Amino acid sequence: MIPQRVTLVTLGALDLPSLRSFYKRLGWEDTPTSTDEYCVFTTAGVLLSLFPYHELVKDAGLDEQVVSDTKPSFRGITLAVNVEEPELVDDAIEKAREAGALILREPEEAFWGGRTAYFADPEYNVWEIAWNPSAVFDETGAMISF
């Protein structure tokens, strides 16, 4: 059996020092062992790591010939930060804008009853900032249900 949990999300970084700097501009603190060669941010419930793109390709056993790194593009996956109040969506998008994010979708009411917005980091990893009125968070800030 594979445990039903996500513990680490790793982004393959084309320019790790620059991407690390972006997340630090968001106000995120990296761990004391982080460097410009491998970086980890502690978040509520999941660690976010940055690892050199080509090293990640090799580590995963992928064929470098079929993996493109020439231009950042949407990879068919989004990451999300859910917040406790609707106005925090707007605050978070402003912080992302100030840090140099590309705002993909300005904050607006969502068809499902919440509030949502999207941004891309400098390497086009896509993040949603969302408020869900039925979200439940634990004492660490991790969303445990909605």
Side-chain angles (χ1 to χ4, degrees), residues 23 26 28 43-44 48 78-85 88-89 92-93 112 115-119 126-132 137 141 143:
Y23 284 99
L26 289 180
W28 292 18
T43 69
L48 174 69
T78 62
L79 303 164
V81 175
N82 282 73
V83 296
E84 294 84 355
E85 301 293 333
L88 295 177
V89 172
I93 284 297
W112 42 265
R115 187 160 180 78
T116 188
Y118 283 85
F119 72 87
V126 177
W127 288 84
E128 177 186 23
I129 305 294
W131 169 73
N132 184 326
F137 297 89
M143 189 169 72

Side-chain angles (χ1 to χ4, degrees), residues 9 36 48 50 80 83 110 133:
V9 172
D36 280 346
L48 174 69
L50 306 179
V83 296

Side-chain angles (χ1 to χ4, degrees), residues 101-121:
L102 172 64
I103 306 306
L104 302 172
R105 181 176 169 191
E106 294 289 344
E108 64 183 8
E109 303 308 309
F111 71 90
W112 42 265
R115 187 160 180 78
T116 188
Y118 283 85
F119 72 87
D121 73 16

